[in-house]
Amino acid sequence: MSAPAQVPASLTHLEVMNIFRHDLLQNKQFSQTDTHVFIVLGASGDLAKKKIYPTLWWLYLDGLLPADTHLVGFARSHLTMANVRKQVLPFMKVTEEEASKLDDFFGRNTYVQGKYTDLASFQALDRHITALCKGHKANRLFYLALPPSVYEDVTLNIKQGCMDQFGWNRVIVEKPFGKDLASSDKLSNHLSTLFREDQIYRIDHYLGKEMVQNLMVLRFANRIFGPVWNRDNIASVVLTFKEPFGTEGRGGYFDEFGIIRDVMQNHMMQMLCLVAMEKPASTSPNDVRDEKVKVLKNIPEIRLGDVVVGQYAGNPAGQGEAKKGYCDDPTVPKGSVTATYAAVVLYIQNERWDGVPFVMRCGKALNERKAEVRLQFRDVPGDIFQQQCKRNELVIRVQPNEAIYTKMMTKKPGMFFNPEESELDLTYGSRYKDVKLPDAYERLILDVFCGNQMHFVRSDELREAWRIFTPLLHKLETSKVRPVPYVYGSRGPPEADELMKKVGFRYEGTYKWVNPNKL
């Protein structure tokens, strides 16, 4: 898929969507006139009702679904389309102006009940789809909104009983892609016996976020960053993912995976690759993914001494869930040592990054919601300002309030000749006031229609990421490493700050950003 046209800041959301629609129609891999069938496997589950159906609704509203598209839900539950509609409506954010289009959208939807392990159920699904398409050729997209335990049965049944013989077939697989290197390889090997790599879309919704996608443009479309994006100028890189809430009823699921598998090995490693990779030969999916794999191959296994793990405890001064610790969740096994926080330092052993610490930190029940990439530059050599200068930083804030800003030194205004910290600020909410940024799933599902795999995880990329983390995960589990407790609503374990300080990140604590656009 070609790069979209540049979007001026003053355009409305409708005008922006018209530009996207024009670009879409120019894409040779995508035909609006083809019949498409989008099959939601696991249509009765939380992911389907909270993310997939709302995303399909937004694509429909913006005119980005192909004209002849059928949406088919499949699950074990005995439901009608009326039941499905009732379940998903609270998550669809329908305005009064849009309500008139609901009947047409749901008129495209049907539902089939069946068993995931039963080939006959998928043959019945195939007959249902064939009848919808009146026997004509149709492109099929299968979204596996399912627990990983049924992936192998479901994909085998798709291959044997539900593939279109004349149109293309694509399978979207949700994380987790295994629990370690061995289980991930097992799943990848299974999928490779059924489908070609260009038919498999391993979805990591972080790759659909505006600022994550912006990393490539920021790096490779600006001359000012290229010469300084290396170990000679950058002291450390910190990638942060913070959530202000705990597991709150999801503890049983979370305890099986923990924070490293849930966030770090996938979302954060994808961001790291985009920060660290070399310029690809082009923006074609395989050129981009080739460079990401090269980065991963240069990262050795993580050492236990470069890790801090934590688990949130109840906050006596808090209210509601904040009063409860992770192990107070009734769905969490008693005495669990599963980490809800992790800080990890890793190194990329290549010419560009040798010796630069990449710090990844993520956790639940922290003091704020934030995801960002922070590049801290080295000290200015030959300081003539008596150590008043703080380190420059480039920050890409992924969420919330998307922004790119550079912390820099400037002369203090007035009758002074002292440097002070300020910023060059591009906050999207101020610069692009009337542009509604698409949801990450909206971008990625549209990419599947278009056959663009740039923002999806390739099998060799997945294998390298698991290679890096699997020894650490096994050591944490076999040694029963007890996580450091931290209070619900805090910044996390103080030991994590000490780890960052030890590897060279300098936290001054003196800078306070003032929103220049706030009235």
Side-chain angles (χ1 to χ4, degrees), residues 76-132:
R76 292 174 298 198
S77 306
H78 290 275
L79 299 173
T80 64
M81 230 9 261
N83 300 137
V84 175
R85 178 171 178 161
K86 186 176 180 181
Q87 286 179 1
V88 305
L89 265 177
F91 303 97
M92 288 174 58
K93 304 175 186 173
V94 183
T95 66
E96 287 184 17
E97 295 80 13
E98 297 163 352
S100 61
K101 299 181 180 180
L102 269 175
D103 287 341
D104 182 62
F105 173 74
F106 281 107
R108 296 167 174 253
N109 281 263
T110 53
Y111 178 82
V112 176
Q113 186 274 331
K115 296 177 181 176
Y116 300 131
T117 57
D118 179 25
L119 177 59
S121 293
F122 282 80
Q123 290 168 334
L125 175 61
D126 180 63
R127 290 192 295 273
H128 175 81
I129 294 170
T130 301
L132 280 177

Side-chain angles (χ1 to χ4, degrees), residues 345-356:
V345 181
L346 49 79
Y347 294 89
I348 302 170
Q349 296 178 342
N350 64 12
E351 185 177 6
R352 181 182 292 272
W353 296 113
D354 192 28
V356 177

Side-chain angles (χ1 to χ4, degrees), residues 135-174:
H136 297 146
K137 177 188 88 169
N139 301 319
R140 298 186 184 185
L141 298 82
F142 299 89
Y143 199 119
L144 274 60
L146 297 165
S149 58
V150 298
Y151 280 177
E152 291 192 13
D153 287 328
V154 167
T155 50
L156 183 61
N157 287 330
I158 289 171
K159 177 67 175 181
Q160 293 182 342
C162 209
M163 300 271 279
D164 193 277
Q165 300 306 308
F166 301 102
W168 49 250
N169 299 271
R170 294 170 186 160
V171 178
I172 307 171
V173 185
E174 270 280 351

Side-chain angles (χ1 to χ4, degrees), residues 303-359:
R303 301 176 304 176
L304 194 58
D306 289 329
V307 179
V308 171
V309 290
Q311 186 186 91
Y312 68 86
N315 184 349
Q319 296 182 344
E321 292 294 334
K323 275 189 174 291
K324 299 177 183 177
Y326 176 70
C327 287
D328 296 325
D329 185 330
T331 65
V332 172
K334 295 298 179 190
S336 169
V337 293
T338 297
T340 62
Y341 178 97
V344 169
V345 181
L346 49 79
Y347 294 89
I348 302 170
Q349 296 178 342
N350 64 12
E351 185 177 6
R352 181 182 292 272
W353 296 113
D354 192 28
V356 177
F358 281 72
V359 182

Side-chain angles (χ1 to χ4, degrees), residues 275-447:
V275 171
M277 72 184 193
E278 299 299 317
K279 182 188 285 189
S282 74
T283 57
S284 74
N286 277 330
D287 285 342
V288 173
R289 297 193 293 182
D290 285 347
E291 295 303 332
K292 288 162 74 177
V293 171
K294 288 178 188 176
V295 170
L296 294 170
K297 284 185 173 180
N298 283 307
I299 301 175
E301 297 170 359
I302 299 164
R303 301 176 304 176
L304 194 58
D306 289 329
V307 179
V308 171
V309 290
Q311 186 186 91
Y312 68 86
N315 184 349
Q319 296 182 344
E321 292 294 334
K323 275 189 174 291
K324 299 177 183 177
Y326 176 70
C327 287
D328 296 325
D329 185 330
T331 65
V332 172
K334 295 298 179 190
S336 169
V337 293
T338 297
T340 62
Y341 178 97
V344 169
V345 181
L346 49 79
Y347 294 89
I348 302 170
Q349 296 178 342
N350 64 12
E351 185 177 6
R352 181 182 292 272
W353 296 113
D354 192 28
V356 177
F358 281 72
V359 182
M360 297 195 292
R361 53 181 184 166
C362 56
K364 291 184 170 294
L366 296 172
N367 59 327
E368 61 183 331
R369 175 175 176 255
K370 181 169 76 172
E372 69 176 23
V373 177
R374 182 177 297 263
L375 290 85
Q376 186 172 93
F377 290 82
R378 296 190 182 279
D379 295 320
V380 174
D383 179 20
I384 61 172
F385 294 102
Q386 294 77 51
Q387 298 183 324
Q388 295 180 75
C389 294
K390 314 301 180 188
R391 285 181 168 180
N392 299 143
E393 292 183 347
L394 174 65
V395 181
I396 300 100
R397 191 190 306 135
V398 177
Q399 65 181 30
N401 305 321
E402 294 88 346
I404 302 167
Y405 64 92
T406 303
K407 284 172 58 175
M408 57 177 288
M409 303 305 298
T410 185
K411 176 188 167 297
K412 190 173 183 178
M415 300 295 288
F416 305 96
F417 197 65
N418 298 329
E420 72 168 5
E421 291 173 284
S422 188
E423 75 284 318
L424 294 174
D425 174 42
L426 169 58
T427 297
Y428 271 46
S430 304
R431 177 68 177 86
Y432 303 107
K433 291 184 191 234
D434 298 318
V435 175
K436 179 177 81 72
L437 298 177
D439 178 80
Y441 276 90
E442 194 175 356
R443 294 178 194 271
L444 295 176
I445 286 178
L446 185 59
D447 277 345

Side-chain angles (χ1 to χ4, degrees), residues 203-261:
I203 192 168
D204 182 333
H205 77 275
Y206 249 67
L207 288 175
K209 289 188 175 290
E210 178 74 21
M211 301 312 293
V212 175
Q213 293 196 353
N214 203 0
L215 277 166
M216 273 186 61
V217 179
L218 185 71
R219 287 194 58 195
F220 303 127
N222 292 292
R223 176 72 178 171
I224 59 173
F225 294 124
V228 298
W229 208 274
N230 54 49
R231 64 190 176 95
D232 296 329
N233 298 284
I234 294 174
S236 60
V237 180
V238 179
L239 298 99
T240 301
F241 179 98
K242 299 169 78 172
E243 291 181 328
F245 49 83
T247 55
E248 299 170 10
R250 287 182 65 246
Y253 167 82
F254 182 85
D255 202 76
E256 187 181 348
F257 296 97
I259 195 70
I260 293 176
R261 288 185 179 95

